[in-house]
């Protein structure tokens, strides 16, 4: 329990509070955190918090079983998202910080910035003041180095993070850096913490090599108590008896700290391991354990590095690591954050589509209630804060994009267990002005959700989208007595339970199949999670936008990478070999077909349209030539869009 005392509290009131707590069996510790005087009380004495709050001189009381309050999840259950310029750290994204150990020259930091940005880092790291174990080792370029770094960050559109080693330097560095790093050796330099915290800038707080988790969180408490809101915790290995690696990465600290605190946790695999070849495997393990990001040392020529060369990755190794993280991210329900382009083509999209600025241009439409899987997909593609419009059907998503009330939309097209969502394939035909600009695969983990107190035995009715039932077929087969009721989406099945609260007794009998986010959104309980027939359950969503001419503009947050996948629809003449002729064109040009699906043409019984996904080859002109050839062999031909394939 923590008591924050009123400013200017009388010493006699302070004494009364001490006596009050000690009489009730609490041991107390008094401290000054920033501007606030605090009494931390531990014990199990009988005490009414409201009564405590009324004692003269008590500003507020927080019931916490921990010695820290501001960093604790008990007092702030939601994840904190730390913002550093355009970059967000925490929530459903994985953010990569990369750069050299030390800034060595303007050319070196510029070259590194270009390389790591190209691979997908969103922030640039680098030390201008280096706390080196030996006084004879390179100590950094100081303020000059920081100026070079700022220039590199600006040139490549990345905010920068650099270590501050003393309270005096903090003030000088304030306007040059976007984020301060407090190094492992300074984690308990409380004067430094207080000074840096008071500057209100984001802070990356490394864990001390011998610090316990509690000590680390108390250091973060110093920062928050001194005024900053934005603290990212960084596990960078602790000292153990093992000497093979530089330090020992405390991987279990990641889920532990994420449970104890709402602050984002990232990992520094470079200082943890200290051996280049071992950095990437450990980095992947950190992501698998739930880290919100990484800070990695990368050098264009590690052999020439003035500090920490042996642990710095070659640029190609960093590139490979990012690709691996991209593949791993969906397994842990996250998305790798990419640096958005600096221009906002989303705004341009809205303007161009309607000839006037649109309020809806920046909104993204999805079908379903809050907590729907489509909303999760949207968050992964556009970020947690993306303005969104929820509509009641897939068709309404297409309508919203067409009439400009949304700049883009997210709709599911297929599931790895239950197959295609034909309704959306058919909608592309009805809406020729809508194109595909992106795709995303979301891991679907279904839960059985009901009111608190409901048991599996008491359930009579289960509600979900037909896909929810199809993907949980094996689980449902164990309960043949359950009556299944179909809803337009999984989240509205959950919402229906809450909305029927008025009917007494009815609720204990109803459950829904949906994602955990929907249970959270509507305050219901997850009775059983992971009930899908196979854990390799992914839904592929596509991002749609309105075409201008024959191109659909790509919202800026999807990045500007060259498309490597395309979707087409066509019908072929009703004669032998006509489909073969089309496939032959693809085969001849070496174009890989990743999906082929046929759908009946409405009003023309026994005639079919073919939906085709292909990979776009790197060689320029090959794909365009194949499309031109296909047009000569098909009847109706529609190019749905080209985009970056999601792994
Ligand atoms: C660094 O990140 O450059 C550094 C010195 O790390 P640590 O403080 O974790 O040793
Ligand atoms: Mn280093």
């Amino acid at each position: 329990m923590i008591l924050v005392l009123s400013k200017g509290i009388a010493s006699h009131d302070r004494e009364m509070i001490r006596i009050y707590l000690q009489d009730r069996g609490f041991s107390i510790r008094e401290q000054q955190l920033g501007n606030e005087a605090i009494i931390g009380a531990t014990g199990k004495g009988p005490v009414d918090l409201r009564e405590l709050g009324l004692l003269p001189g008590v500003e507020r009381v927080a019931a916490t079983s921990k010695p820290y309050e501001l960093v604790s999840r008990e007092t702030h259950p939601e994840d904190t998202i730390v913002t550093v310029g355009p970059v967000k750290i925490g929530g459903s994204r994985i953010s990569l910080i990369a750069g050299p150990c030390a800034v060595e020259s303007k050319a070196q930091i510029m070259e590194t910035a270009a390389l790591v940005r190209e691979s997908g880092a969103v922030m640039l790291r680098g030390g201008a003041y280096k706390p080196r174990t030996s006084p004879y080792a390179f100590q950094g370029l100081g303020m000059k180095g920081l100026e070079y770094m700022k220039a590199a960050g600006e040139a490549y559109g990345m905010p920068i993070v650099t270590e501050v080693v003393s309270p005096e330097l903090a003030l000088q560095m304030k306007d040059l850096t976007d984020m301060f790093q407090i190094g492992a050796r300074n984690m308990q330099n409380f004067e430094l913490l207080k000074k840096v915290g008071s500057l209100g800038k984001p802070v990356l707080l490394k864990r001390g090599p011998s610090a316990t988790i509690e000590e680390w969180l108390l250091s973060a408490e110093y920062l928050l108590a001194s005024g900053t809101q934005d603290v990212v915790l960084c596990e960078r290995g602790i000292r153990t008896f093992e000497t093979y690696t530089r330090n020992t990465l405390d991987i279990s600290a990641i889920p532990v700290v994420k449970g104890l605190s709402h602050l984002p946790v990232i990992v520094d695999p470079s200082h943890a391991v200290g051996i280049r070849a071992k950095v990437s495997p450990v980095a992947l393990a950190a992501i698998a354990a739930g880290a919100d990001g990484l800070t990695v040392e990368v050098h264009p020529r590690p052999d020439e590095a003035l500090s920490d060369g042996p642990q710095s990755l070659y640029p190609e190794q960093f590139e490979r690591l990012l690709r691996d993280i991209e593949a791993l991210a969906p397994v842990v329900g996250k998305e790798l954050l990419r640096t958005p382009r600096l221009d906002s083509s989303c705004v341009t999209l809205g303007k161009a589509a309607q000839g006037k600025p649109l309020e809806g241009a920046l909104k993204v439409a999805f079908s379903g209630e809050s907590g729907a899987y489509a909303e999760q997909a949207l968050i992964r593609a556009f970020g947690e804060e993306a303005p969104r419009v929820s509509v009641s059907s897939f068709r309404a998503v297409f309508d919203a994009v067409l009439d400009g009330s949304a700049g883009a939309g997210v709709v599911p097209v297929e599931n790895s267990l239950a197959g295609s969502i034909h309704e959306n394939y058919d909608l592309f035909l009805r809406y020729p002005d809508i194109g595909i600009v992106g795709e995303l695969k979301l891991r679907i983990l279904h839960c059985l959700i009901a009111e608190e107190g409901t048991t599996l035995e008491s359930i009579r009715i289960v509600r979900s989208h037909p896909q929810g039932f199809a993907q949980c077929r094996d689980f449902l087969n164990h309960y043949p007595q359950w009556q299944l009721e179909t809803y337009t989406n999984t989240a509205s099945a959950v919402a229906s339970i809450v909305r029927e609260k008025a009917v007494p007794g009815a609720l204990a009998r109803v459950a829904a199949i949906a994602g955990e986010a929907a249970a959270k959104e509507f305050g219901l309980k997850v009775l059983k999670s992971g009930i899908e027939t196979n854990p390799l359950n992914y839904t592929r969503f596509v991002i749609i936008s309105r075409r201008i001419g024959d191109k659909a503009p790509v919202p800026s947050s999807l990045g500007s990478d060259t498309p490597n996948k395309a979707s087409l629809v066509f019908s072929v003449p009703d004669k032998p070999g006509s489909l073969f002729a089309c496939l032959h064109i693809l085969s001849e040009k070496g174009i890989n077909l990743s999906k082929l699906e046929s759908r009946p043409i409405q009003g023309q019984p026994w005639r079919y349209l073919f939906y085709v996904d292909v990979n776009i080859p790197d060689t320029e002109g090959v794909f365009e030539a194949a499309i031109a050839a296909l047009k000569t062999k098909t009847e109706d031909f529609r190019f749905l869009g080209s985009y970056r394939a999601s792994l």
Side-chain angles (χ1 to χ4, degrees):
M1 177 168 65
I2 283 175
L3 285 82
V4 178
L5 305 181
S6 314
K7 301 235 164 10
I9 178 176
S11 56
H12 141 87
D13 286 340
R14 204 172 177 133
E15 183 57 23
M16 291 308 288
I17 297 170
R18 277 188 210 119
I19 295 171
Y20 185 97
L21 290 167
Q22 281 163 343
D23 280 356
R24 284 161 181 77
F26 285 91
S27 53
I28 61 170
R29 216 170 67 209
E30 296 180 48
Q31 52 192 320
Q32 187 71 29
L33 282 183
N35 296 330
E36 290 187 322
I38 280 170
I39 296 184
T42 41
K44 290 203 174 74
V47 70
D48 182 333
L49 293 188
R50 286 166 305 179
E51 206 174 292
L52 255 183
L54 293 175
L55 293 181
V58 175
E59 174 90 19
R60 72 198 144 87
V61 184
T64 159
S65 52
K66 311 288 179 322
Y68 37 81
E69 179 199 354
L70 302 173
V71 303
S72 171
R73 216 180 252 288
E74 286 181 7
T75 45
H76 186 299
E78 298 301 321
D79 281 347
T80 283
I81 314 272
V82 167
T83 305
V84 191
V87 171
K88 300 224 178 328
I89 306 177
S92 63
R93 51 185 82 64
I94 295 169
S95 314
L96 264 283
I97 305 172
C101 178
V103 183
E104 298 166 4
S105 66
K106 186 159 186 188
Q108 172 248 17
I109 192 71
M110 283 287 178
E111 185 181 1
T112 317
L115 289 164
V116 298
R117 164 76 158 83
E118 183 64 22
S119 294
V122 290
M123 278 184 71
L124 181 66
R125 61 146 287 146
Y129 292 92
K130 294 303 305 172
R132 303 302 298 278
T133 308
S134 160
Y136 307 116
F138 174 61
Q139 304 285 309
L141 298 182
M143 288 307 279
K144 197 93 226 119
L146 185 51
E147 280 162 25
Y148 295 155
M149 212 178 148
K150 181 173 160 58
E154 280 171 2
Y156 293 97
M158 288 184 288
I160 62 171
V161 55
T162 194
E163 178 163 357
V164 55
V165 291
S166 75
E168 302 72 48
L169 280 169
L171 260 183
Q172 287 183 44
M173 294 166 75
K174 179 172 172 277
D175 296 329
L176 291 172
T177 188
D178 300 294
M179 185 182 212
F180 282 116
Q181 176 171 318
I182 305 268
R185 293 155 191 82
N186 271 317
M187 188 205 85
Q188 285 186 313
N189 180 340
F190 300 117
E191 291 311 310
L192 179 64
L193 292 171
K194 285 192 260 182
K195 181 77 209 170
V196 171
S198 75
L199 298 177
K201 285 222 147 189
V203 184
L204 181 66
L205 178 66
K206 295 263 190 123
R207 178 180 182 181
S210 308
T212 63
I213 286 175
E214 190 167 296
E215 286 165 342
W216 184 21
L217 290 176
L218 279 167
S219 290
E221 184 85 8
Y222 263 97
L223 289 168
L224 292 194
S226 314
T228 184
Q229 305 287 321
D230 294 311
V231 174
V232 175
L233 298 163
C234 178
E235 161 63 41
R236 44 78 75 202
I238 51 173
R239 185 157 289 191
T240 66
F241 53 81
E242 181 53 70
T243 54
Y244 192 92
T245 48
R246 182 171 176 178
N247 289 289
T248 300
L249 181 74
D250 182 5
I251 199 122
S252 34
I254 305 162
V256 168
V257 173
K258 286 197 70 77
L260 293 173
S261 174
H262 53 88
L263 297 175
V265 179
I266 70 162
V267 165
D268 172 349
S270 312
H271 291 88
V273 182
I275 307 166
R276 184 183 307 128
K278 317 289 179 211
V279 166
S280 294
V282 167
L284 290 170
I287 298 298
D292 297 299
L294 300 171
T295 172
V296 184
E297 285 184 345
V298 181
H299 195 287
R301 288 163 296 281
D303 307 334
E304 296 170 17
L306 296 183
S307 79
D308 283 347
Q311 70 191 32
S312 300
L313 294 186
Y314 283 98
E316 319 70 272
Q317 290 177 308
F318 181 63
E319 165 77 24
R320 170 70 205 265
L321 173 63
L322 269 133
R323 285 170 175 273
D324 289 348
I325 292 173
E326 204 156 20
L328 175 61
V331 178
V332 286
K334 291 188 181 164
E335 181 87 354
L336 184 66
L337 180 69
R338 295 276 187 185
T339 307
R341 271 190 294 164
L342 297 174
D343 67 328
S344 174
S345 54
C346 224
V347 180
T348 332
L349 157 69
K351 284 183 183 153
Q354 297 281 293
K356 59 180 172 25
L358 283 173
E359 271 182 22
L362 287 166
K363 292 192 188 145
V364 187
F366 71 100
S367 159
E369 310 261 351
S370 279
Y373 290 114
E375 191 187 35
Q376 301 299 304
L378 185 159
I379 289 171
R380 287 254 310 279
F382 295 93
E384 211 119 17
E385 287 78 29
R388 36 201 187 258
V389 213
S390 85
V391 296
S392 58
S393 65
F394 296 138
R395 191 180 179 134
V397 175
F398 280 73
D399 281 335
V401 174
L402 190 68
D403 70 20
S405 47
V410 176
V411 289
V413 286
E414 61 176 318
N415 173 267
S416 59
L417 296 183
S420 290
I421 292 122
H422 292 127
E423 182 184 345
N424 284 327
Y425 275 104
D426 293 344
L427 281 167
F428 279 109
L429 295 186
R430 291 168 178 259
Y431 289 77
D433 287 337
I434 302 269
I436 301 178
V437 292
E439 72 166 9
L440 170 112
K441 289 172 191 144
L442 186 78
R443 179 171 173 205
I444 305 290
L445 198 124
H446 283 304
C447 304
L448 188 70
I449 296 163
E451 277 270 288
E452 183 80 50
T454 309
T455 58
L456 284 175
E457 295 68 38
S458 66
I459 295 172
R460 294 285 166 274
I461 297 167
V462 178
R463 296 173 179 163
S464 193
H465 185 270
Q467 283 273 337
F469 295 135
Q471 293 162 30
C472 300
R473 184 50 52 213
D474 286 3
F475 173 75
L476 290 171
N477 283 346
H478 289 108
Y479 303 93
Q481 71 279 21
W482 289 353
Q483 188 187 321
L484 305 185
E485 288 183 1
T486 300
Y487 274 69
T488 48
N489 64 75
T490 54
S492 47
V494 177
S496 76
I497 300 183
V498 176
R499 289 185 189 134
E500 283 166 21
K501 261 198 158 113
V503 187
L507 291 173
R509 307 168 58 234
V510 188
I513 293 177
E516 200 184 344
K520 223 170 165 184
E521 180 71 34
F522 294 100
L524 295 184
K525 191 167 182 289
V526 171
L527 297 189
K528 203 162 169 42
S529 120
I531 57 169
E532 62 279 3
T533 299
N534 188 306
L536 293 179
N537 185 24
Y538 295 89
T539 293
R540 181 175 159 237
F541 289 84
V542 291
I543 296 155
I544 57 173
S545 87
R546 188 184 154 127
R547 288 167 190 276
I548 300 167
D550 42 343
K551 277 217 171 314
V554 184
S556 58
S557 37
L558 296 185
S560 55
D561 291 342
T562 327
N564 59 359
K565 187 170 176 183
S567 297
L568 331 164
V569 197
F570 53 75
S571 61
V572 292
D574 188 13
K575 60 176 200 223
S578 53
L579 177 61
F580 174 78
C582 295
L583 300 183
H584 185 61
I585 294 169
L586 299 176
S587 150
E588 240 190 347
K589 305 259 181 227
I591 293 176
N592 187 38
L593 186 73
S594 52
K595 175 168 174 145
L596 174 64
E597 166 123 18
S598 63
R599 289 287 298 146
I601 303 179
Q602 291 189 12
Q604 297 183 40
W606 325 126
R607 303 270 340 262
Y608 300 89
L609 276 169
F610 296 98
Y611 281 83
V612 172
D613 289 345
V614 290
N615 297 346
I616 302 177
D618 288 338
T619 322
E620 211 171 304
V622 172
F623 181 66
E624 292 71 15
I627 295 294
L630 274 177
K631 284 182 178 164
T632 66
K633 300 280 177 206
T634 51
E635 287 184 336
D636 291 323
F637 181 93
R638 282 261 328 271
F639 188 77
L640 294 182
S642 60
Y643 46 92
R644 276 311 277 186
S646 145
L647 291 164

